[in-house]
């Protein structure tokens, strides 16, 4: 089963070794990424590839709609490990235009458990209803909501106790908010970087 994926893996490993014979030896030694990527689980958004980094250079947490909810133990475990153990210097909260999770949060359809997960996005939509309603088209409203969600998640990350404690002890750490366009492959900085309390 899935022999094509196993064959792809062998070809990938051979290509890596051919280009850099010591790659896997170094990789096995330790990971010391400078970046934590908090992004969407969407299969069209491959974190390492988007920013041109090899395995070991980017610590990654992905979930539906790139949320950073303060009650999610999975996200919090990744955040604490990245900050306290790996000592990352940059946390990148990266959303993307055309996000199915963002759309599902506000389209009025019920999908089950994921509706609870997406509730924070509905809150962001309500808080910014005036701005969103002023936009002419539904795609424009959804894309703006994708951006607003990133801004909210940057705030969630920056106000978390792990981040606040890191800043209090003088640790160099910045939280950035980006949006990715699947249509052209480019990231856009939303200019909401937080560098301290």
């Amino acid at each position: 089963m899935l022999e094509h994926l196993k064959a792809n893996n062998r070809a990938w490993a051979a290509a890596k070794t051919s280009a850099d014979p010591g790659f896997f030896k170094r990789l096995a030694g330790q990971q010391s990424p400078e970046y934590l990527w908090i992004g969407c689980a969407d299969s069209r958004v491959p974190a390492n590839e988007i920013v041109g980094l090899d395995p070991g250079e980017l610590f990654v947490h992905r979930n539906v709609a790139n949320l950073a909810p303060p009650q999610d133990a999975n996200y919090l475990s990744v955040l604490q490990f990245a900050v306290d153990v790996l000592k990352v210097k940059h946390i990148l909260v990266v959303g993307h235009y055309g996000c199915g999770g963002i759309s599902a949060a506000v389209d009025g359809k019920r999908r089950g458990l994921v509706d609870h997960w997406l509730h924070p996005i509905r809150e962001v939509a309500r808080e910014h209803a005036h701005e969103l309603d002023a936009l002419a088209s539904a795609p424009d409203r959804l894309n703006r909501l994708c951006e607003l969600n990133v801004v909210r998640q940057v705030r969630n990350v920056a106000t978390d106790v792990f981040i606040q404690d890191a800043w209090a002890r003088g640790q160099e750490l910045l939280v950035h908010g980006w949006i990715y366009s699947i249509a052209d492959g480019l990231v856009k900085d939303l200019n909401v970087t937080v560098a301290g309390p």
Side-chain angles (χ1 to χ4, degrees):
M1 289 179 59
L2 304 177
E3 290 305 317
H4 66 292
L5 296 182
K6 295 173 195 171
N8 288 352
N9 168 254
R10 286 187 289 278
W12 172 78
K16 281 293 198 190
T17 304
S18 175
D20 179 359
F23 178 77
F24 289 109
K25 194 171 283 187
R26 285 192 314 278
L27 199 59
Q30 72 173 25
Q31 67 169 333
S32 55
E34 290 189 22
Y35 314 97
L36 167 61
W37 174 288
I38 299 171
C40 186
D42 191 301
S43 62
R44 303 167 296 172
V45 186
N48 285 65
E49 290 182 40
I50 288 171
V51 291
L53 293 177
D54 275 330
E57 296 181 315
L58 184 69
F59 198 58
V60 178
H61 177 74
R62 294 172 65 174
N63 60 51
V64 176
N66 51 273
L67 296 181
Q71 72 280 2
D72 179 42
N74 185 338
Y75 150 70
L76 291 173
S77 297
V78 170
L79 183 67
Q80 183 179 22
F81 192 82
V83 171
D84 292 347
V85 177
L86 298 176
K87 306 288 189 206
V88 298
K89 291 183 173 55
H90 300 274
I91 299 174
L92 309 166
V93 179
V94 186
H96 67 94
Y97 294 123
C99 181
I102 299 291
S103 178
V106 295
D107 68 7
K109 297 177 186 172
R110 292 289 169 242
R111 291 175 175 83
L113 181 61
V114 74
D115 293 324
H116 295 282
W117 177 257
L118 298 174
H119 179 75
I121 298 165
R122 287 189 290 279
E123 290 180 343
V124 171
R126 276 193 294 278
E127 288 174 20
H128 295 274
H130 184 73
E131 176 186 352
L132 295 169
D133 291 343
L135 297 172
S137 72
D140 287 344
R141 287 189 291 277
L142 283 175
N143 283 339
R144 180 60 182 147
L145 185 54
C146 290
E147 293 175 344
L148 293 169
N149 180 53
V150 168
V151 173
R152 169 58 58 85
Q153 303 319 310
V154 165
R155 184 185 316 154
N156 286 354
V157 173
T159 57
D160 187 89
V161 66
F162 301 134
I163 304 302
Q164 293 294 312
D165 287 351
W167 283 329
R169 64 181 174 258
Q171 189 170 334
E172 180 188 345
L173 184 61
L174 289 92
V175 183
H176 310 271
W178 291 0
I179 193 96
Y180 173 69
S181 172
I182 293 170
D184 62 15
L186 299 176
V187 293
K188 172 183 165 187
D189 190 334
L190 294 176
N191 297 312
V192 292
T193 295
V194 183

